[in-house]
Amino acid sequence: MKKILVIGAGGQIGSELVLQLRNRFGEQSVVASDVKPECPAIIINGPYFQLDILNKEEVRNFIISNSFTDVYLLAALLSATAEKNPDFAWKLNMEGLFTILDLAKEGYLKKIFWPSSIAVFGPTTPKNHTPQYTIMEPSTVYGISKQAGERWCEYYFNKFGVDVRSIRYPGLISYTSLPGGGTTDYAVDIFYRAKKEAKFNCFLSADTELPMMYMEDAIRATIELMEAPKEAIKIRSAYNLSGCSFTPSQLTDKIVDHIPTFEITYSPDFRQLIADSWPKSIDDSHARNDWGWKEKFDLEKIVDIMLENVNSDLI
Ligand code: NAD
Ligand code: AKB
């Protein structure tokens, strides 16, 4: 019997992942947890527990006493927030991973999902169709933590047989909860502003191309990777994954098709440097070959769905 714990379940990915996991494995089999005291409204259909991943003893006791089989570890500081608090970002992003990897090493967990990011790449990485295996010299604390995490995941698999799986997510776009402090957040914020006041001041420049993905694709990829047979998973660091790539200016053109009065202005800030260090597009042929990945949402579909569904009262 599968018993799943999602840590960091109150965030942009976690809230949607919990719902999909509950659809698939049953409401009572998927426990959501987060450092937030209140269960976010979107996931009140099943069990919720307030859990701080940095409280190692409590996390260990909770996982062991409840006989969880699978953990999805999502708690982290994202790129922009991490640059403002590098010491804490390193602590949060790394310590929690070791707590969970060690539980699996000791035989208390069967499977772990831990997300990586396109932030593992850096300014010296080839920018177009960035390969799975290439130069990786991340220049942000977030990227350094994700790259180190990938190395440790692969190490725990090789050395101790820990079944840990990971994806280098691109920027994720969704409307159910607001994003949590990343460099790609502009591609979510823009829809709220477009709907609310038909204008948006973008913190990246007009021609900053970045890899992006619609959340439904990302959640499907995550569950497909976790459900794939063990032998199919050839990469134990993290898989490159691609949805679509676009610039703020290309995104604006598509929004204008729906809201002709929409106007964008540009005031690049510290996040521009982060974005400039990341790939423009990703080669995800390993994910396609190993476990059959294929995206469903292109830029046009994303814009249609987002404009129809964002609730601009939230901002
Ligand atoms: P988010 O910031 O929206 O959510 C993170 C959640 O973790 C929040 O609900 C927060 O309350 C919780 N959290 C923070 N500290 C905690 C602690 N000490 N204990 C327990 N929970 C804690 O982030 P997200 O966008 O959902 O990202 C989840 C993971 O996916 C992160 O590891 C992130 O690096 C990765 N990722 C996200 C994206 C993206 O575009 N959203 C892209 C690449 C990788
Ligand atoms: C961020 O911008 O920090 C995240 C990511 C791509 O990891 N969305």
Side-chain angles (χ1 to χ4, degrees), residues 82-97:
E83 284 311 296
K84 292 184 179 155
N85 200 348
D87 293 350
F88 180 70
W90 178 256
K91 185 179 169 68
L92 177 63
N93 295 7
M94 298 311 298
E95 278 183 20
L97 177 59

Side-chain angles (χ1 to χ4, degrees), residues 10-13 34 36 51-53 74 116 142 146 169-170 172:
Q12 192 197 4
I13 300 177
D34 201 286
K36 295 171 186 165
L51 194 62
D52 179 353
I53 186 61
L74 306 176
S116 185
Y142 176 66
K146 290 295 181 187
Y169 289 133
L172 300 181

Side-chain angles (χ1 to χ4, degrees), residues 115-130:
S116 185
S117 159
I118 53 163
V120 291
F121 300 114
T124 51
T125 301
K127 289 226 175 289
N128 293 303
H129 304 290
T130 300

Side-chain angles (χ1 to χ4, degrees), residues 7-15 33-36 40 48 50-55 59 73-79 81 88 92-93 113-119 142 146 167-173 177-182 184-185 212-213 215:
I7 301 173
Q12 192 197 4
I13 300 177
S15 47
S33 74
D34 201 286
V35 74
K36 295 171 186 165
Y48 180 82
Q50 185 188 5
L51 194 62
D52 179 353
I53 186 61
L54 292 176
N55 189 338
V59 172
L73 173 56
L74 306 176
L77 284 198
L78 277 75
S79 57
T81 320
F88 180 70
L92 177 63
N93 295 7
F113 178 80
W114 170 83
S116 185
S117 159
I118 53 163
Y142 176 66
K146 290 295 181 187
I167 286 172
R168 292 172 183 154
Y169 289 133
L172 300 181
I173 302 177
S177 46
L178 293 165
T184 58
D185 290 13
M212 301 280 184
M213 180 176 282
M215 187 62 84

